Amino acid sequence: MFVAANAQYQAFQVTREELAELADVIKLLEMRLALETEMAGLAAARRTTDDIGQIRGALRRMEDAFADPREAALADSAFHLAIARATQNHYYERLIDFLGVRLVPPRNMYLRDESEEAHKAYAAKVRAEHDDLVDAIIRMDVPRARAAARHHMQESLSRHSQLSEIASLRTTSAS
């Protein structure tokens, strides 16, 4: 095999190593903010009854997996993949499937030293954000679905940005 040195095509990738740094997680969340906003709008416009069942099933799996942050992240990824499928646009599905668990930073990344109550409060907040998004998709309310997805992603971005600021302050004060 031979690959030309001037080949223009490069496949998009997001490696686990790239997401080891909080700054890169934030960059991925910035990308998801735009992507998931429009994805939710399309899902609301095009979803089927079966799609609603898949989305709700993933939401139940997230709730059932609360005690295990890794399993909860996998269920959260399945939730977003179910929404991608509801767009009836296979490119959304392929992109979200490709991102997989990299799509959802596990909560132990930012709640590592927090109490069980903090984990429960976080899970309840995310659940409320997801419930609002699902309700808008079920009702085929495109503007509300977009707004709910944007709100959910903005909240995630804010949580991770705050964590980054705290980490930066710790590094500065340790110097």
Side-chain angles (χ1 to χ4, degrees):
M1 276 192 160
F2 177 79
V3 177
N6 63 351
Q8 295 289 323
Y9 179 78
Q10 291 184 359
F12 176 78
Q13 293 185 55
V14 178
T15 65
R16 291 185 194 281
E17 293 76 30
E18 288 176 299
L19 295 179
E21 296 295 323
L22 194 52
D24 290 312
V25 171
I26 290 169
K27 289 175 185 173
L28 182 60
L29 289 168
E30 289 172 343
M31 183 186 80
R32 284 185 58 204
L33 180 75
L35 176 73
E36 298 225 21
T37 298
E38 289 309 308
M39 189 171 78
L42 287 174
R46 299 174 178 171
R47 86 335 176 248
T48 65
T49 303
D50 185 55
D51 293 326
I52 295 303
Q54 296 298 317
I55 293 168
R56 283 182 166 159
L59 202 54
R60 279 191 301 277
R61 285 192 303 280
M62 281 175 46
E63 197 168 281
D64 293 344
F66 168 77
D68 183 345
R70 186 178 181 291
E71 284 302 313
L74 287 170
D76 199 342
S77 295
F79 171 79
H80 290 276
L81 182 59
I83 292 172
R85 287 184 179 128
T87 68
Q88 312 307 320
N89 179 330
H90 69 277
Y91 292 115
Y92 276 106
E93 181 180 350
R94 285 172 51 192
L95 180 60
I96 298 303
D97 188 43
F98 163 76
L99 290 172
V101 291
R102 291 179 291 265
L103 187 73
V104 181
R107 75 179 117 100
N108 59 0
M109 173 181 261
Y110 40 88
L111 293 176
R112 186 172 323 183
D113 301 322
E114 298 294 327
S115 67
E116 172 97 7
E117 290 77 32
H119 281 264
K120 286 181 181 177
Y122 168 78
K125 182 172 179 22
V126 170
R127 175 62 192 250
E129 292 168 10
H130 284 162
D131 285 343
D132 189 38
L133 176 55
V134 172
D135 186 63
I137 291 171
I138 289 169
R139 296 176 186 276
M140 300 183 88
D141 187 337
V142 172
R144 189 168 146 237
R146 284 186 179 129
R150 184 166 188 76
H151 174 75
H152 173 51
M153 293 312 307
Q154 189 64 55
E155 287 295 307
S156 185
L157 188 55
S158 294
R159 285 187 288 271
H160 287 84
S161 294
Q162 288 171 354
L163 181 62
S164 180
E165 290 167 13
I166 291 167
S168 179
L169 289 173
R170 286 181 184 157
T171 302
T172 304
S173 58
S175 301

